[in-house]
Amino acid sequence: MINVAIDGPVGAGKSTIAKECAKRLGCIYVDTGALYRTVGLYCKRNGIEISQENSGNIENAIKSGLKLEIKLENGTQLVFMNGENVSEEIRLPEVSMLASAVSAIPCVRSFLLDTQRKVAKENNVIMDGRDIGTVILPDAQVKIFITAKPEIRAKRRYDELIAKGIDAKFEDVLNDLNTRDYNDSHRAEAPLKQADDAILLDTSDFDFEQSVCAVINLIEKGN
Ligand code: DC
């Protein structure tokens, strides 16, 4: 199986780039952020406080009450929470913060570990997240750490939200992005960081097509 690990901060374009590369290369694209978003949404819906102190309750609740499934429909990943398709709802900006908060809780990370490894074991995947190259798939044949300047990432994320008809302010998007990046890279468990053997790709000056070609090049070279 070919496993490609793509990590990087918020709004670096990981998911859109990885999805297009997977389509061109005939692999499956796995967006692992969607899993953390679903756990965040589950906690919100069930009034479960997200904090380290409450991690025992979080663990019990997700182990006994959350069935999380990934399904692929025409190359698009859908996420189901106890049978309900939550793929759209988890994209809302308020769910981003919940996802970042639950992702710092160790039992949540271990709850999601097997789901991610299983799909990579059974398929040729391009998987994106924060700890794919460092923790989830340490033996991936290709590891790429995609980044771009914060203002550029915030602008891309802002444009995406506006295009979807979601009301947003650029300053809020930039602040959320900086806060999430700080939290994601400073947590004790599996923090966001470039794996020692990952290649750094800064897409600040690249358009979408250039970014896709750069990643495909790296994948083809690395195999
Ligand atoms: O990629 P995203 O913005 O959808 O991810 C949402 C949050 O989930 C992000 O702030 C950090 C967390 N996350 C993580 O900790 N590990 C991953 N592999 C993917 C996401």
Side-chain angles (χ1 to χ4, degrees), residues 147-192:
T147 191
K149 294 187 186 86
E151 287 71 20
I152 290 178
R153 293 189 280 117
K155 175 75 171 61
R156 290 176 185 163
R157 184 49 61 101
Y158 171 78
D159 290 345
E160 250 172 51
L161 293 170
I162 297 297
K164 279 190 193 164
I166 298 171
D167 191 25
K169 281 205 190 89
F170 177 77
E171 288 68 31
D172 294 345
V173 174
L174 180 62
N175 282 338
D176 278 12
L177 177 143
N178 283 330
T179 308
R180 274 212 287 151
D181 281 347
Y182 182 87
N183 292 344
D184 295 344
S185 48
H186 286 80
R187 64 179 179 231
E189 188 83 6
L192 164 67

Side-chain angles (χ1 to χ4, degrees), residues 14 31-34 36-37 91 96 99-100 103 109 116 128-132 157 180 184 187:
K14 302 184 297 293
D31 163 13
T32 63
Y36 293 90
R37 287 172 179 269
R91 295 288 140 211
S96 306
S100 186
S103 73
R109 303 204 73 83
Q116 297 169 82
D128 93 53
R130 303 293 188 286
D131 63 338
I132 310 304
R157 184 49 61 101
R180 274 212 287 151
D184 295 344
R187 64 179 179 231

Side-chain angles (χ1 to χ4, degrees), residues 15-178:
S15 56
T16 38
I17 297 168
K19 196 170 171 184
E20 181 60 22
C21 293
K23 195 169 135 197
R24 294 191 196 178
L25 297 172
C27 305
I28 288 179
Y29 162 60
V30 185
D31 163 13
T32 63
L35 305 176
Y36 293 90
R37 287 172 179 269
T38 305
V39 175
L41 180 65
Y42 179 80
C43 289
K44 183 183 167 220
R45 288 241 194 118
N46 291 283
I48 302 164
E49 182 197 306
I50 304 172
S51 65
Q52 297 293 347
E53 297 71 42
N54 202 34
S55 68
N57 289 330
I58 296 174
E59 183 167 18
N60 289 339
I62 59 179
K63 280 192 174 160
S64 62
L66 172 59
K67 184 166 179 248
L68 207 164
E69 292 164 289
I70 298 178
K71 292 184 190 170
L72 286 164
E73 211 177 74
N74 302 325
T76 301
Q77 175 184 303
L78 300 177
V79 192
F80 289 78
M81 180 170 98
N82 295 334
E84 177 190 348
N85 182 356
V86 291
S87 314
E88 285 293 317
E89 191 172 350
I90 57 168
R91 295 288 140 211
L92 293 173
E94 67 256 32
V95 181
S96 306
M97 279 300 177
L98 298 171
S100 186
V102 289
S103 73
I105 316 272
C107 65
V108 172
R109 303 204 73 83
S110 51
F111 176 75
L112 297 175
L113 188 88
D114 290 347
T115 310
Q116 297 169 82
R117 285 199 179 147
K118 188 166 182 281
V119 67
K121 200 170 169 202
E122 294 169 354
N123 301 281
N124 292 322
V125 294
I126 300 184
M127 186 175 278
D128 93 53
R130 303 293 188 286
D131 63 338
I132 310 304
T134 50
V135 176
I136 306 293
L137 305 176
D139 298 328
Q141 291 90 333
V142 182
K143 298 182 185 180
I144 306 170
F145 192 87
I146 302 186
T147 191
K149 294 187 186 86
E151 287 71 20
I152 290 178
R153 293 189 280 117
K155 175 75 171 61
R156 290 176 185 163
R157 184 49 61 101
Y158 171 78
D159 290 345
E160 250 172 51
L161 293 170
I162 297 297
K164 279 190 193 164
I166 298 171
D167 191 25
K169 281 205 190 89
F170 177 77
E171 288 68 31
D172 294 345
V173 174
L174 180 62
N175 282 338
D176 278 12
L177 177 143
N178 283 330

